[in-house]
Amino acid sequence: MMVNESAIRYKQSRLMIQLLLASEALFFAALIIAFVYFRNLSMDWSESSKHLQVERTGFFSIFLFASSGTIALWSNALRKGKDKLALIYLAITIVFGAVFLFGQATEYLNLFSEEVTIDKDIFGSAFFTLTGFHAFHVFVGLIILIVTWMLCRIFGYGVGNEQIPPGMLVAEWYWHFVDVVWIFVFFFVYLKPLI
Amino acid sequence: MEGYKRNMIPEPETPLPSIKTGYGLLQWLSSTDHKQLGIMYLWMALFFFLVGGAEAMLMRAQLALPELNLLGPEVYNQLFTMHGTTMVFLVLMPTLIGLGTYFLPLMIGANEMAFPRLNAMSLWITLLGGLLLNFSYLAGGAPDAGWFSYAPLSEKNYSFTPGLDYYSIGLIVTGIGSIGAALNFIVTTITMRVKGMKMNKLPLFVWMVFFNSFLILGAFPLLNAGLFMLLLDRQLQAHFFLPATGGSAVLWQHVFWAFGHPEVYILALPAFGIISEVIPVFSRKKIYGYVTLAASTVFIALLSFGVWAHHMFAVGLGNPVNTFFSAASMLIGIPTGIKVINWTATMWGGRIFFSTSMLFAVAFLIDFTLGGLSGIAFAIAPIDWHITDTYFVVAHIHYVFLGGTLFASFAGIYYWFPKISGKMLSEKLGQWHFWLFLIGFNMTFLIQHLLGLLGMPRRVYTYPDLPYYGSMNFIATMGAVLMMIAMLIFIFNIFHSLRKGMKASSNPWYAWTIEWFASSPPSLKNFDELDEVKTSRPLIDWEKTNQRNDGE
Ligand code: HEM
Ligand SMILES: [Cu+2]
């Protein structure tokens, strides 16, 4: 009975996070569509977009993409019961995420120094809204991961279970999600104009 | 510590704790029980119905005679905006979600929703959004750009009170509540059905709430994205919907209606579900065409995302676009028509019992169909150009929302009230409620089709004394008065029956879905044990096997 119940719990949590993320994906889709719409149709898609630093952001993006790998290693290690290793992978993931956010911050500061802001023109509005919401999601993800790390480290949360607890599963799915969203954002904001 | 915490608010011992005693109120406020939450959704909807209704009555008073000047244009703008927004987001949504929260688990033989705390959060955050929205009245002025807040009217330079900021934030917050509820419905339906209840044996109400939840998950993020952009425009001087500085007002319309049209189906599908429960029970027949009813729901859900631009024919999107959306919109008439045929065929040859619930269901059939027909008229672009933004639109929305969803909700409430409260609603008062409301409704809104065809624009606070304008508007206002009286009767009926009503048995209507197997009201834990479900009418099966057992 108990086993059965926790299996259902697991299934429910997975389903819930999948649906939530699918819903969230549409939120980003709307913002991306707005961005592309303005780039193609707005007469004022100004000089501002020239200040984007593709290479630097590309470099920092690698950290986010890599963090998706490390978090997979984390849950894998957990499943195999290698708890020490798991903690290390999780820490690496957190650091990678933070490095990415740092990269975003430098990108923003650079744009600000060129006087590109959300209220300057339509590029500024679309760019900061889209990337800002993404960064916010990464930030929330970081908090989740840090809390998870502390729970594991201090209280042994999820240690010694055959199945990782639903909360951890949700955290992992969420983190992959912010990563996938960034693939699209990076493509449409940074790469597409080059093609 | 542990024990102290647990005793802070003791777990309720009765399903409906009295709010007069000790911890009662706190037990409600802190509840995660789907039944209590469902009940609170319904109270909340009733409360906002009174708010939205008062706004409507003020509007109708202002419009009763030509060239009246009771309210003035600024106030009138706020009233119609708040009325529409309130009715859609704070009345109809919570009513349908509330009925779903209460009955979906019961009908699939579950004892709870999958995520009880998420369930509680959904309720309270929906309420919070509603309060935020209405707080705008005190904070300098309510939103005044209509319930769909077209840019650039909704932008800072045209609407400079904080009303639209409250609108954006309030709707984002309630929207998150709806998304939470939708997640819960889907996961509960998939993982918590009683043994034997395959998806093709789901009660149709559950089926529709289930599919509807996907619509919610698809539509609300779009609205939220639009609302955030609007808020950024207003608060941080972004340029999204400001054409003068590179933005696009048309984009707002696209985003809003990409949400808005699915939303009208979000308000229709659960209503279809209620009708599909009520009609068979009161016709003493199995539903006609279960499979087509279920399948056409899926069809509607998918199509509803592909028709939004029928709200935008007047923008000038060009012929190819108009034609596409025109055709797609008419297509959606087909599955809806199929449903109407199904319900009619279910009644055909049945032994119909006209309880108040059934009366509302039949009225739904007729009035919703009328609303559907005027909708199909709108789907034809050249007709739309003639009557858009006239009173014909007002007539149309009210036939689908009021004659449709609201009537279905009444049918559901009269049907399920005995289960929820353990008391029967007075049928006599119910009949008064029904007839007065039906007559008042048609008086108010049928005539508005004509007003619209004569060219009276909507959203004007007054009108000149043109031929027929005065008399027709007067009739409409009188109809509104009838509806108000009907509502007072309804509310009296609720309170009266709660106190003095006849005790309800567990299955007063001899229905056959599982919620009627529980006691009335259901005990804290809905069911102790349930047999396997074999058909879509489990109570009938179980009764048969019981009789057989008794016979032995
Ligand atoms: C569940 C019930 C109802 C719903 C869902 C509903 C919905 C709406 C909506 C969406 C609008 C459009 C607002 C706009 O133009 O932006 C509207 C307008 C209006 N409604 Fe209702 N309504 C309901 C009940 C009523 C009732 C009972 C009355 C009359 C007693 C009423 C009278 C009006 C009036 C006068 C307008 C304004 C029309 C205009 O100025 O354009 N409504 N309603
Ligand atoms: Cu529509």
Side-chain angles (χ1 to χ4, degrees), chain A residues 17 43 51 77-78 84 91 99 107 137 150 184 189 191:
Chain A
I17 189 68
M43 315 221 206
H51 297 299
L78 264 186
K84 289 253 164 55
V99 170
E107 172 75 329
H137 276 71
M150 296 200 307
F184 284 94
V189 175
L191 296 183

Side-chain angles (χ1 to χ4, degrees), chain B residues 49 52-53 55-57 59-60 63 76 79-81 83-88 91-92 145-149 267 390-391 393-394 397-398 400-402 405-406 437 441 444-445 448 457-461 476-477 479-481 483-484 487:
Chain B
F49 190 88
E55 285 154 352
M57 291 314 294
M59 282 191 284
R60 278 317 325 166
L63 294 172
Y76 190 85
L79 285 178
F80 75 68
T81 303
H83 165 74
T85 313
T86 302
M87 288 300 189
V88 168
V91 176
L92 296 184
W147 79 286
F148 44 63
S149 292
L267 295 177
T390 68
Y391 260 81
V393 176
V394 181
I397 47 181
H398 286 89
V400 286
F401 281 160
L402 243 169
T405 307
L406 188 68
F437 204 95
F441 165 69
T444 303
F445 294 110
Q448 291 183 359
R458 72 196 279 212
R459 298 182 172 178
V460 289
Y461 82 106
T477 298
V481 173
M483 280 190 273
M484 191 181 78
M487 280 312 292

Side-chain angles (χ1 to χ4, degrees), chain B residues 257 260-261 264 307-308 310-311:
Chain B
W257 288 114
H261 190 83
V264 307
V307 299
W308 77 85
H310 65 211
H311 296 273

Side-chain angles (χ1 to χ4, degrees), chain A residues 79-100:
Chain A
R79 273 189 197 108
K80 292 202 180 113
K82 299 183 188 156
D83 301 323
K84 289 253 164 55
L85 192 64
L87 269 181
I88 294 173
Y89 281 133
L90 188 54
I92 296 176
T93 309
I94 293 169
V95 172
F96 281 3
V99 170
F100 171 77

